[in-house]
Amino acid sequence: MANLVPLAMSDEVLEGVFGKYSEQYEKVAEMATEKEAEKEAEKETEKEPEKEPEKEPEKEAQEEIEKQIRKELEESEKAAMRELERDFDKKFAKITDEGKFRRARAYPLTQQIMSRATRKSFISASRGFEREPAPTRQTTPRLRQRRYSIDVDVNGWFRTRREEYPFLLSKRRLPKKAKAQADPFRRKCVEVEGFCTHELLNENEPLVPREPKLPFPDPSRYPETLKLGAPPKDGRTFLELEGSSLTNEDVHYITARGGVDSWWQDNTLNVALELIEMSYECKAHGIAIGNSMVASILFRLGMHGYVDDQNEISHFKDYVDQFKDKRWIFLPVNDGFYSDEFEQSSGGIHWAFILVDRKQGIASYFDSFYWYKPEYQWVANSVATGLGSILREKYKFWADNRTPNQSTTNRCFDAGACGPFVFQLAELFVRVILFRQQEGQTQDSLICCEDDIMCYFRLDSAHSREKVDEAVWSMKLQQVRDKAIKDHDGLALNDLPHGVLVGKIPEYTALAQDASPSRNSSEFSFRSSKAETDTENEATESKRLKTGHESQDNTACGEYGAVEQHGSGVESDDSEMNDAVIVSNIDDYLKSEIDEAEDDEPADEVHLPESTSEETTESQQLSAADINLSSSEMDEETRLELARPDSRLSAMFSLFSEEEAKAAEDE
Amino acid sequence: MSNDASPNHMPPPADAPLLGHINIKLTDNNNELFFKVKPTTPFGKVMETFCKRQGKDLKSVRFLFEGQRIRKEDTCETLDVQDGDAIEVHQEQLGGT
């Protein structure tokens, strides 16, 4: 109102001035009329001589008065206009740049605001980020001292559920309006001092937009803070790995256990197998896990028998590279490989897999439903033959007859358990192989023939499905994280000073961690993995260096060529272990056997090698017994008696063995 | 199908490649289709054409080049496909019983 005061005063002044002078005007006008009347009367009587002396003083007085009046009028008008202009300028002043800046910024005393709001959290920061962003990974030495402060508004925390969500607990439904009022996430508008004061308002100018809030650095660098929703059911790619990919639709069917949805497509199984390969670092341990497409190609090659044509094989160079330096090769098998040969292909109905042990020259077939059917065995054998063709080797094929049936021995109902079966058993074998490498065993016995694995293997397809699902999701989170870290650290670690080391991004170990099957826990397992990977890696590495170095050398690629070329003579050179002696025997035997055997016949009968060496140790007998088991003429009790005592696995499975023994006795 | 008639022995297409074009061969064990594509053409187009010709659903078919799965957005340039290279087409597999 202070602005208006001078205006009001000026009005009064004006009125006063006008009032005063108007009275004077009237008086002057009356006087003028009287004088005119006198003049006319005088004119009639005395015309010329009386004019000059009477008129002069009166006229002068009148003119002076009129001049004064005009001057004052003009001055007062000018003053009023000036007042008005001043007032207008004050009221509708153009906004200066500084004013705009102040208006655009909510908190004028601080820097630009950085904020992030989710449904349950609201974070804002107003300082610290004008420097370069902090890198995700640790650097040695640290780049600079950083100081962060986080202001947390705890208003509304520590309330009971009833206080916080009254509408959730009340039985009757509240109307929408009341619900909205009760909504704790609805925030009130808060007026801030120093913001939008009236002198900055100008209606004639366009609105000044609020200064945009900076986003926080990408929080997906820390996947424990992320929770991805289920993707829509479409054909877009959800997860992409090196050799396989998963679509959005496939993700929904991983854990389905009823109806046709429960059948795994090749996508799902390939991703599951590749996740095993990645999380157990199989490639570094002499294990290769092929996918169904490689197996299908090998089937086409081997379905007509062993191929000796060099020309033909030269096209498979990529697959040779994949498998040539590996000892154990897993390949999934589908009966659809054969129907794929025809125009109207059905795509198959059943998954199984073969495990090829190249050192032993044995391809074992594991099938949870049709292991006894020759046509299914033929498909698997063809895959093995194709693999042998490109690697210039021949394998003895046999189908494991102790494989548990997927429908009778499954721990839960599952309409399509063969895919999970392949995953579960393949993972088990990989773990056993790695375990023995760690323990420093030479792994010369056939793991597939060992009772303590197959007898205590319990198919739990629901658990396997959840495990795969969890691994897929955590892999997805990891990919998101890796990308975010890459983008963020690209800025943060742009030009590093010389000699600064950047820490590694922790690697993916979800499957190998034995995390609990729920998806939520995968997020937490990530956290623990991040915290512990460094120490774990160090520990395992040092362990490997101490114990498993020899065994790694044994399984390494170089020796494989040697085995192929020189037969089994190599093992006896470094035969510190007891097993080595036996295995050389087995190798001799198998080599001779392979030459004689035909590929197409599934060789169920594997006879004991006649021990040429004079020493017949206990372990020799046991492993011999193991091989004998493949003929499967023994019942379970005898198998239990012959369980290998040397491996710690038997100790691990001792609980099961007791139960098993009891069950067998009861029967 | 005998080994001699396998796709790898098929003669290359008769007409000489246009400048900047690449001849590729798509084979699913029974049929072979030859395509002439630009190095920058995404493979999605080729896949769709192949499926239309063969009367197949794009979802049920997998395309492989040198053991690698081909994505729709890949091109000859990104995959380093040379003139006369073959791309294998696989039927999707399913298993449950």
Side-chain angles (χ1 to χ4, degrees):
Chain A
M1 286 304 292
N3 298 330
L4 297 174
V5 172
L7 186 68
M9 276 180 70
S10 68
D11 286 349
E12 282 171 14
V13 169
L14 267 179
E15 276 173 18
V17 169
F18 279 121
K20 203 163 70 183
Y21 287 103
S22 59
E23 282 173 9
Q24 284 181 356
Y25 258 126
E26 283 169 6
K27 280 179 185 173
V28 171
E30 280 174 11
M31 284 172 72
T33 46
E34 283 172 8
K35 280 168 187 172
E36 277 175 6
E38 285 174 4
K39 276 176 193 174
E40 283 173 1
E42 283 173 2
K43 272 179 186 175
E44 288 172 357
T45 54
E46 302 168 320
K47 283 179 179 175
E48 288 181 354
E50 290 177 2
K51 274 181 182 175
E52 287 181 1
E54 288 180 357
K55 277 183 183 177
E56 280 180 355
E58 287 178 358
K59 269 190 179 178
E60 282 173 0
Q62 276 185 11
E63 280 173 0
E64 279 179 7
I65 291 169
E66 282 176 6
K67 273 181 187 174
Q68 275 186 0
I69 290 169
R70 275 183 204 129
K71 258 187 185 178
E72 283 182 19
L73 266 175
E74 282 173 5
E75 279 175 9
S76 65
E77 275 175 8
K78 277 180 186 174
M81 281 304 290
R82 248 180 272 133
E83 282 289 324
L84 273 174
E85 279 175 9
R86 213 187 301 147
D87 204 40
F88 183 85
D89 284 349
K90 215 175 187 182
K91 203 171 184 182
F92 302 108
K94 279 200 171 180
I95 297 173
T96 56
D97 289 347
E98 194 192 349
K100 281 178 187 171
F101 182 70
R102 279 183 66 193
R103 204 175 153 196
R105 177 157 288 180
Y107 306 99
L109 294 179
T110 58
Q111 303 287 333
Q112 199 172 357
I113 299 288
M114 185 186 258
S115 84
R116 173 182 162 80
T118 60
R119 224 176 108 249
K120 289 194 174 177
S121 70
F122 178 78
I123 317 168
S124 76
S126 59
R127 59 174 174 267
F129 53 84
E130 66 275 7
R131 289 173 283 179
E132 289 166 15
T136 316
R137 288 168 283 175
Q138 268 196 3
T139 53
T140 45
R142 297 201 173 168
L143 290 181
R144 55 181 76 83
Q145 287 296 324
R146 290 177 185 277
R147 191 187 63 202
Y148 297 100
S149 61
I150 301 172
D151 302 330
V152 183
D153 178 15
V154 293
N155 186 26
W157 290 16
F158 321 115
R159 271 196 262 164
T160 61
R161 195 172 161 74
R162 183 178 289 277
E163 279 171 349
E164 199 165 359
Y165 307 103
F167 56 93
L168 286 182
L169 295 176
S170 64
K171 278 181 184 174
R172 67 184 175 83
R173 267 190 155 182
L174 287 174
K176 265 188 183 177
K177 204 175 173 184
K179 220 174 193 178
Q181 283 171 352
D183 189 352
F185 306 119
R186 179 165 292 213
R187 267 182 228 94
K188 279 178 187 172
C189 190
V190 182
E191 281 186 19
V192 183
E193 241 176 70
F195 170 62
C196 231
T197 46
H198 71 275
E199 73 256 27
L200 296 175
L201 263 176
N202 186 353
E203 291 168 357
N204 297 334
E205 290 218 356
L207 276 175
V208 181
R210 187 78 72 84
E211 187 179 47
K213 285 177 182 173
L214 288 176
F216 259 83
D218 194 350
S220 54
R221 289 179 295 147
Y222 304 101
E224 55 265 37
T225 63
L226 268 188
K227 198 164 189 182
L228 298 177
K233 278 188 187 179
D234 56 16
R236 281 179 295 176
T237 310
F238 177 78
L239 181 73
E240 185 139 5
L241 302 177
E242 203 176 317
S244 53
S245 61
L246 207 61
T247 62
N248 285 342
E249 202 172 2
D250 296 333
V251 179
H252 289 273
Y253 299 139
I254 292 177
T255 48
R257 280 190 286 135
V260 190
D261 291 348
S262 63
W263 287 28
W264 271 10
Q265 283 193 348
D266 48 354
N267 278 346
T268 314
L269 187 65
N270 290 340
V271 164
L273 291 178
E274 193 165 348
L275 286 173
I276 295 179
E277 192 175 26
M278 288 171 72
S279 49
Y280 291 102
E281 293 172 351
C282 288
K283 282 176 185 168
H285 294 86
I287 304 167
I289 304 181
N291 60 32
S292 70
M293 283 171 276
V294 176
S296 145
I297 290 163
L298 294 175
F299 169 80
R300 280 184 200 170
L301 181 71
M303 66 183 288
H304 300 291
Y306 187 79
V307 180
D308 218 2
D309 186 6
Q310 277 290 348
N311 249 338
E312 187 102 354
I313 290 160
S314 63
H315 297 293
F316 293 88
K317 208 186 153 199
D318 297 320
Y319 306 115
V320 175
D321 290 343
Q322 188 184 351
F323 296 128
K324 69 181 177 191
D325 53 353
K326 306 290 188 295
R327 174 174 175 177
W328 311 91
I329 298 168
F330 292 80
L331 285 170
V333 177
N334 192 303
D335 54 327
F337 293 166
Y338 183 59
S339 68
D340 203 10
E341 296 294 307
F342 309 110
E343 282 287 341
Q344 299 296 326
S345 59
S346 61
I349 56 165
H350 186 59
W351 287 112
F353 75 101
I354 54 170
L355 168 58
V356 178
D357 182 358
R358 289 177 61 201
K359 200 169 188 177
Q360 307 278 349
I362 288 181
S364 324
Y365 177 54
F366 299 95
D367 189 325
S368 55
F369 216 74
Y370 298 121
W371 65 267
Y372 54 88
K373 286 197 175 177
E375 59 268 29
Y376 283 82
Q377 289 181 0
W378 172 76
V379 174
N381 192 15
S382 301
V383 174
T385 313
L387 179 68
S389 302
I390 63 167
L391 294 172
R392 326 299 288 139
E393 289 166 0
K394 286 192 178 181
Y395 308 120
K396 195 139 183 80
F397 180 85
W398 71 288
D400 196 314
N401 52 1
R402 296 157 302 161
T403 320
N405 186 298
Q406 68 178 46
S407 53
T408 55
T409 63
N410 197 354
R411 288 193 171 176
C412 58
F413 167 76
D414 198 332
C418 61
F421 163 82
V422 170
F423 168 79
Q424 195 179 339
L425 195 56
E427 195 204 357
L428 177 67
F429 281 151
V430 167
R431 291 185 74 128
V432 171
I433 292 167
L434 293 183
F435 182 75
R436 297 203 175 166
Q437 282 182 5
Q438 271 192 7
E439 295 298 305
Q441 292 185 18
T442 49
Q443 305 191 46
D444 292 320
S445 56
L446 283 170
I447 61 155
C448 48
C449 295
E450 286 176 12
D451 276 342
D452 47 4
I453 296 171
M454 286 309 288
C455 283
Y456 310 120
F457 171 70
R458 285 288 172 271
L459 179 60
D460 188 349
S461 65
H463 180 65
S464 298
R465 281 169 187 275
E466 275 160 6
K467 214 170 174 183
V468 172
D469 190 50
E470 178 205 340
V472 162
W473 276 92
S474 69
M475 190 70 213
K476 174 76 179 173
L477 281 174
Q478 197 215 3
Q479 284 185 352
V480 171
R481 178 196 70 165
D482 286 357
K483 192 176 172 295
I485 288 180
K486 207 179 166 189
D487 292 347
H488 180 84
D489 284 7
L491 288 173
L493 303 172
N494 196 6
D495 31 274
L496 277 179
H498 183 69
V500 174
L501 298 173
V502 181
K504 278 183 185 174
I505 302 174
E507 285 179 5
Y508 172 73
T509 49
L511 260 183
Q513 272 191 345
D514 275 336
S516 58
S518 70
R519 184 177 299 166
N520 287 338
S521 69
S522 79
E523 293 171 12
F524 292 111
S525 74
F526 236 109
R527 183 181 291 158
S528 63
S529 80
K530 271 172 56 152
E532 291 163 12
T533 33
D534 291 345
T535 53
E536 273 181 10
N537 284 344
E538 283 173 14
T540 48
E541 273 175 21
S542 60
K543 200 176 179 185
R544 267 181 223 142
L545 282 175
K546 281 176 194 166
T547 60
H549 196 62
E550 295 167 343
S551 69
Q552 272 192 356
D553 278 358
N554 282 343
T555 53
C557 26
E559 201 176 324
Y560 273 18
V563 174
E564 286 159 31
Q565 288 164 15
H566 308 297
S568 58
V570 182
E571 276 79 13
S572 53
D573 293 340
D574 51 6
S575 59
E576 290 177 355
M577 319 282 173
N578 289 335
D579 288 351
V581 182
I582 308 153
V583 170
S584 69
N585 292 338
I586 293 170
D587 263 13
D588 280 342
Y589 163 73
L590 289 173
K591 284 282 168 188
S592 59
E593 190 83 298
I594 287 165
D595 292 338
E596 295 165 11
E598 288 180 15
D599 286 334
D600 288 350
E601 284 180 11
D604 281 345
E605 298 173 5
V606 180
H607 298 290
L608 256 181
E610 292 177 13
S611 58
T612 50
S613 61
E614 293 177 3
E615 303 169 5
T616 50
T617 57
E618 195 185 45
S619 61
Q620 193 174 349
Q621 287 174 357
L622 284 165
S623 66
D626 284 340
I627 288 180
N628 211 5
L629 280 171
S630 59
S631 60
S632 82
E633 287 167 8
M634 300 186 198
D635 52 2
E636 283 194 357
E637 287 182 13
T638 48
R639 264 190 256 149
L640 277 171
E641 288 166 12
L642 289 167
R644 284 173 62 86
D646 57 345
S647 78
R648 287 190 196 174
L649 266 180
S650 57
M652 279 167 58
F653 289 121
S654 61
L655 278 174
F656 292 107
S657 71
E658 286 170 10
E659 289 173 10
E660 193 73 19
K662 279 177 189 172
E665 282 171 11
D666 292 339
E667 284 176 6
Chain B
M1 199 180 225
S2 72
N3 281 332
D4 297 332
S6 78
N8 298 318
H9 288 297
M10 287 300 292
D15 46 354
L18 290 171
L19 194 68
H21 281 62
I22 296 172
N23 283 306
I24 53 170
K25 180 174 68 175
L26 267 69
T27 77
D28 64 343
N29 229 19
N30 308 299
N31 303 293
E32 288 183 354
L33 279 185
F34 292 94
F35 285 86
K36 202 177 284 178
V37 293
K38 284 180 198 165
T40 51
T41 311
F43 265 101
K45 275 186 179 179
V46 181
M47 294 174 185
E48 279 169 19
T49 319
F50 179 86
C51 291
K52 264 188 189 173
R53 282 281 194 87
Q54 302 291 323
K56 284 178 177 170
D57 184 11
L58 190 57
K59 273 186 187 173
S60 70
V61 185
R62 319 262 182 262
F63 295 84
L64 281 187
F65 176 64
E66 289 179 347
Q68 292 289 318
R69 180 95 182 263
I70 300 177
R71 291 169 301 179
K72 279 181 184 176
E73 59 269 21
D74 284 332
T75 62
C76 288
E77 269 184 347
T78 57
L79 293 176
D80 197 22
V81 177
Q82 302 293 325
D83 195 58
D85 277 343
I87 286 163
E88 287 166 359
V89 185
H90 289 261
Q91 183 72 21
E92 75 166 353
Q93 307 293 337
L94 199 65
T97 40

